[in-house]
Amino acid sequence: MIPATDGFTNGASEEITELPQPKTELQDEDADETSASTPWTSTYGLPDAEFEALLTCELKKSPLYDQYPEVFAVAPSIITKWRQMYRGKGQTIWKRLYSQDKVLKELIEAVPIIDAVQRLVVTTELKGNEKFTIIDLACGKGFLSMMLSYLLPSDKVEKCVLVDKQWPMHNVTPQPHHISWTHIYGSFKKVEDQSIPRYYDYWPIKLNTSKQDLKSNKEIRSMQQRYFTGQGTYNFGSCSSMWNVELKSRRSVQQQSQNKVLCLKPCCLPGMVHAKRNEIFYLGEHSFDSKLVCSAGKWKKNVWKGPSRSVTKEFFQRWADNLFLGIDDNDAKKIQKTIMVQHGGGYQNEFLFAERVPETASVWNALERRVGAGG
């Protein structure tokens, strides 16, 4: 369930037609003076202007470009600002972080969520000390929140919380099995190399990592107490994740009165162990047999070992449909949209959106009008 928030005012009715430009200007003092003929790499072979132009060219190839022109227009500038931030002593960090295929793929798959978040935050009229907190579940390296930090108005968003079980604990030096947080914090963390910049200070909206195992009820309760009980804070939950996160996060998000919006992009299917146990999955008042959605198979060295795509596609659709049915809409509005962020046989194109009433007109007008190739 997504219960109402006391004191929340939504005065938005007009649709956003233009996104704000990124805010923070970073110095280019450590730029390489490499010739523009140098191949485009993850380091600094091209001047920033050409790097940004090439990003724009690549993104224009996406079939979604015409559906979300505002987001695609501003994204290259934001990615270029990340590049500027890691120049100099952070060059090895940028080289490790940036892969053209990976970053652009994650951006394109997150565009519907980015668009919805931007519309909600910009058009919402907050009172007093009210601000949004964005809870980015199963965030990976945090590309979604990194984008939102530069895109959203910092006077309306207090912070982004990047939740993933692969982060290190806050007082521990990242190990090879961790997701390194160096690109988020830099020397802000005392366990990091103190000769690199304090990247934490560069983010217009602060990014904070949170190591949480969303399979653990204890850790979910801890996260609820820490992030979902503050006065004057309204949470925007986003998740593009594995099945445990989807089930658990939906329960935690729906149970908290401070939550305003949920965005979910279903991903991996539950494993066969649940079907073998004859388990029934419960989401609020909705329940479904695990056999409908559980599937064998896994990726091994980038090769899929399991049922054919035509089989797993059917399981995935049932999975997304049941997750949607599990959203309690007694005091909320919800929608399930097929938005073609994956092509070439990719079928994970389902997006689930829910907002506690009163709904934000600009968000729902945009979601409801998206048809055809874009959703």
Side-chain angles (χ1 to χ4, degrees):
M1 65 193 73
I2 308 180
T5 301
D6 293 336
F8 192 92
T9 300
N10 173 18
S13 60
E14 295 184 359
E15 198 161 316
I16 299 301
T17 58
E18 183 176 350
L19 299 182
Q21 294 298 308
K23 299 176 284 298
T24 301
E25 291 296 331
L26 301 173
Q27 297 298 316
D28 202 23
E29 57 191 21
D30 295 313
D32 289 351
E33 297 181 357
T34 311
S35 167
S37 63
T38 304
W40 185 22
T41 69
S42 62
T43 53
Y44 295 95
L46 288 177
D48 286 336
E50 294 187 32
F51 177 80
E52 184 175 336
L54 282 168
L55 286 175
T56 300
C57 183
E58 289 298 311
L59 289 173
K60 282 184 176 179
K61 298 176 183 177
S62 170
L64 287 180
Y65 189 88
D66 292 335
Q67 293 280 330
Y68 299 91
E70 299 92 352
V71 177
F72 279 105
V74 76
S77 177
I78 294 177
I79 297 173
T80 301
K81 291 193 180 299
W82 300 350
R83 185 181 192 243
Q84 294 171 354
M85 181 166 60
Y86 300 117
R87 186 158 290 138
K89 292 183 178 180
Q91 181 166 323
T92 56
I93 299 172
W94 175 247
K95 187 174 182 179
R96 182 180 68 240
L97 179 70
Y98 181 79
S99 162
Q100 175 187 327
D101 292 343
K102 177 68 172 177
V103 171
L104 297 190
K105 176 180 181 294
E106 291 211 12
L107 168 64
I108 291 169
E109 294 194 1
V111 160
I113 292 176
I114 294 171
D115 181 76
V117 174
Q118 192 274 339
R119 292 176 186 278
L120 174 81
V121 172
V122 170
T123 59
T124 296
E125 296 181 4
L126 299 175
K127 292 182 177 179
N129 66 341
E130 293 175 344
K131 282 192 174 183
F132 285 99
T133 292
I134 295 172
I135 311 297
D136 189 356
L137 300 172
C139 63
K141 293 182 178 180
F143 291 128
L144 171 60
S145 290
M146 290 166 65
M147 184 67 61
L148 294 176
S149 177
Y150 276 93
L151 178 64
L152 301 178
S154 58
D155 61 328
K156 287 190 169 185
V157 182
E158 181 175 354
K159 61 187 173 183
C160 299
V161 181
L162 285 64
V163 179
D164 202 290
K165 69 176 182 178
Q166 292 302 113
W167 293 120
M169 298 294 289
H170 279 289
N171 59 346
V172 175
T173 301
Q175 300 299 312
H177 64 280
H178 291 136
I179 300 174
S180 174
W181 61 26
T182 309
H183 64 290
I184 301 295
Y185 294 115
S187 59
F188 176 81
K189 289 290 186 182
K190 299 304 181 183
V191 296
E192 290 286 357
D193 180 358
Q194 294 299 293
S195 69
I196 62 177
R198 286 169 55 102
Y199 299 126
Y200 183 73
D201 298 332
Y202 284 47
W203 302 107
I205 295 171
K206 295 306 180 196
L207 306 182
N208 294 278
T209 62
S210 179
K211 180 180 176 64
Q212 303 287 344
D213 183 357
L214 295 177
K215 300 177 185 179
S216 166
N217 288 327
K218 180 180 179 180
E219 294 195 28
I220 289 176
R221 288 193 296 270
S222 175
M223 187 173 68
Q224 290 171 345
Q225 294 171 0
R226 184 171 183 180
Y227 298 118
F228 295 95
T229 58
Q231 295 300 312
T233 299
Y234 297 94
N235 296 299
F236 191 114
S238 64
C239 180
S240 174
S241 179
M242 298 180 67
W243 79 271
N244 304 78
V245 176
E246 288 160 2
L247 282 172
K248 299 279 188 174
S249 68
R250 187 175 304 283
R251 291 173 185 150
S252 64
V253 168
Q254 292 188 139
Q255 290 168 356
Q256 302 302 315
S257 63
Q258 293 294 99
N259 295 328
K260 175 62 178 169
V261 171
L262 169 70
C263 296
L264 180 66
K265 180 182 181 296
C267 183
C268 304
L269 295 171
M272 288 300 297
V273 61
H274 307 282
K276 291 177 180 178
R277 294 172 181 167
N278 295 315
E279 292 181 4
I280 302 297
F281 291 151
Y282 292 90
L283 281 172
E285 297 180 359
H286 178 65
S287 63
F288 54 102
D289 193 329
S290 60
K291 295 183 180 66
L292 295 172
V293 297
C294 291
S295 176
K298 61 181 180 179
W299 289 94
K300 187 175 182 179
K301 295 182 179 180
N302 294 323
V303 177
W304 173 250
K305 303 291 185 180
S308 67
R309 183 170 289 182
S310 61
V311 173
T312 55
K313 181 178 180 180
E314 295 179 2
F315 279 78
F316 175 81
Q317 190 62 55
R318 291 197 293 267
W319 175 232
D321 292 345
N322 278 283
L323 290 175
F324 179 70
L325 291 172
I327 300 175
D328 185 345
D329 59 353
N330 288 330
D331 55 0
K333 185 170 183 175
K334 66 179 182 179
I335 193 171
Q336 178 176 352
K337 296 293 290 185
T338 302
I339 305 174
M340 301 301 293
V341 296
Q342 295 185 0
H343 296 272
Y347 53 78
Q348 294 179 353
N349 296 306
E350 297 300 302
F351 288 80
L352 314 182
F353 299 90
E355 182 180 10
R356 183 186 308 118
V357 295
E359 67 269 19
T360 306
S362 64
V363 174
W364 292 92
N365 290 343
L367 287 172
E368 290 168 352
R369 78 165 188 265
R370 299 199 189 281
V371 295

